[in-house]
Structure formats: C-alpha cells, structure tokens
Amino acid sequence: MTLLHFNFFKRFFSNKSVLVLLLLGLSFTQSLAKGKSKKDEIVTITTQFGDMVIILYEETPQHKANFLKLAKEGFYNNTTFHRIIDDFMIQGGDKNSKDEDKTNDGAGDVGYQIPAEFNAKFKHVRGAVAAARQGDFVNPKRESSGSQFYIVENHVGTPHLDNQYTVFGQVISGLDVIDKIAEQPKGPRDLPLSDIRITMKVEKLKKKKITKRYGYSYSA
C-alpha cells in the first residue's frame, strides 16, 4: 500500500469514528431527554368533600415549580378554601386561613410574586387551576400571587379570564368535589361559614400510569 492510500484510509476511519461518536452522543442525549419526561408529579388536594387530583403544566415552569415546592413543604396543609362562588370558582392558598381569625382570610401570601406565564392553549375551562393576583392598577404586569390559587367551577368555563390570570394546571380527577365546595353556605366576602380545610400530597408517577389512571393525555 502506498503512502497516499494509507493516509486515505487513516482519514476515512478517523472521520468515521468521529461520526460514530457524535451519533452515539446525540443518541445518549436524546435518551436522557426522553428519560426526564417519562415521569410527572401530580398533586392531590384532600378535603372533607373528597379529593381533587391536579396535573401541572410544563409550559408554565415557574408556577409549576413554585406550587410543587410549597406543596412538598407542607405550606398548604391546614389552609382553607377561603373564597367560594357557586358557578364561578373556589379560591385557596392563603396562609392566614390557618389561624382562627377570619377577618384576615384572603389577605395573606408568601411575600413574593411570580411573573405571568400566559399561554394561549391553556384556557379557563372547568377544573382549570390558575394563580390569583392583585388587580391591574397595582399590578400592571399581572404577576401572580406566590401562593394563592383558584379552581374554575363553572361547567362552561370562564373565558373572560383567559390571558388575564395564569392558568398553570388542571383537575384531572374530582371535578364533582369542586361543585360540592362551591355550593357550601357562605357569608360576607364569599367566606364559607364552615372551614373547608385542605392537605396536599405530591406523587411522582410514570406518565403512562397517569394517562391510564386518570385518562389525561400529554400533548406531543
């Protein structure tokens, strides 16, 4: 074999090896990416009227991460749904609702806000989970409350709230529980006459299991 032929084969196999390594690296990276998305975390809200299971959207990452963090820390445990409006929504997540003073319910938070994460494909349909917030006159950027949230009870949704408040999740089991809570007797400021206390549990499951158990379909 001449030197010319030798250099040709050397370059050929060298380049081929680099190509193989690049392909292997790409395949490994894709496998890791797929592996990260095979599981998801669901949140179960337990009340005296039953359980609601919530899925949180990956497309609203800051809201999802914050809600999971607070739920895992136990922040929401022993809070109440402090505002209920039949045929509209139920609202909770206020730390003030843990105490016996009902006059301050609805005014508490965690001391920070979350930037709005509006997404046109997430609507205020029945069971939508969205972040409460202060009004536009003091909050022109429409940033979300750090802890307070509401769940849409109206069976045809509340489309007038779309792109006004960040929708970051959906109730995938227990829609009837929302109805039961919204129908409870209430007094001034839409405050239930009897406490509707909640606890939250976070569970990590395979997405296939979530789909099989709750019928929730992940978008491609």
Side-chain angles (χ1 to χ4, degrees):
M1 180 183 295
T2 66
L3 182 59
L4 179 61
H5 288 130
F6 176 77
N7 287 336
F8 170 81
F9 280 106
K10 183 179 179 181
R11 286 197 304 270
F12 174 81
F13 284 108
S14 177
N15 291 337
K16 188 176 181 181
S17 298
V18 170
L19 178 60
V20 170
L21 288 173
L22 287 173
L23 290 174
L24 286 173
L26 178 60
S27 177
F28 180 69
T29 302
Q30 290 175 335
S31 297
L32 285 177
K34 289 180 180 179
K36 287 181 181 179
S37 64
K38 286 183 179 179
K39 290 187 177 182
D40 199 1
E41 291 176 292
I42 58 172
V43 179
T44 300
I45 300 179
T46 297
T47 74
Q48 66 262 45
F49 299 101
D51 294 348
M52 292 170 281
V53 179
I54 294 174
I55 198 80
L56 303 172
Y57 297 134
E58 295 176 354
E59 294 90 340
T60 54
Q62 295 183 76
H63 284 73
K64 178 173 183 174
N66 181 69
F67 195 82
L68 288 174
K69 175 180 179 291
L70 294 178
K72 290 175 181 178
E73 291 176 350
F75 173 88
Y76 289 115
N77 293 342
N78 206 38
T79 59
T80 71
F81 281 108
H82 62 270
R83 184 172 178 237
I84 57 173
I85 303 177
D86 193 18
D87 206 31
F88 182 32
M89 61 90 216
I90 60 176
Q91 184 171 334
D94 176 13
K95 65 178 182 179
N96 289 350
S97 66
K98 293 183 180 184
D99 61 30
E100 298 301 320
D101 182 5
K102 301 304 177 187
T103 64
N104 64 7
D105 287 7
D109 210 329
V110 288
Y112 59 82
Q113 294 179 305
I114 305 170
E117 293 182 300
F118 299 141
N119 190 311
K121 73 178 183 178
F122 300 138
K123 308 293 187 182
H124 278 77
V125 298
R126 182 190 183 195
V129 182
R133 66 173 178 84
Q134 294 179 308
D136 289 359
F137 60 98
V138 294
N139 180 27
K141 293 183 179 179
R142 296 176 177 172
E143 294 181 318
S144 299
S145 160
S147 65
Q148 289 200 37
F149 65 95
Y150 62 91
I151 303 175
V152 176
E153 187 260 343
N154 191 296
H155 287 210
V156 296
T158 55
H160 63 285
L161 298 180
D162 290 345
N163 296 315
Q164 305 291 318
Y165 298 79
T166 298
V167 175
F168 64 94
Q170 175 69 34
V171 173
I172 57 176
S173 177
L175 290 172
D176 61 314
V177 177
I178 310 172
D179 294 338
K180 292 175 184 177
I181 292 173
E183 294 166 356
Q184 295 308 302
K186 62 182 183 178
R189 298 184 294 117
D190 299 312
L191 183 71
L193 295 180
S194 299
D195 287 343
I196 304 172
R197 297 207 174 271
I198 70 176
T199 58
M200 286 194 190
K201 179 182 71 174
V202 180
E203 185 179 10
K204 179 174 282 190
L205 298 171
K206 290 183 178 179
K207 289 185 175 180
K208 287 184 178 179
K209 189 169 185 178
I210 293 173
T211 297
K212 182 177 180 180
R213 181 184 295 182
Y214 301 107
Y216 177 78
S217 297
Y218 286 89
S219 57

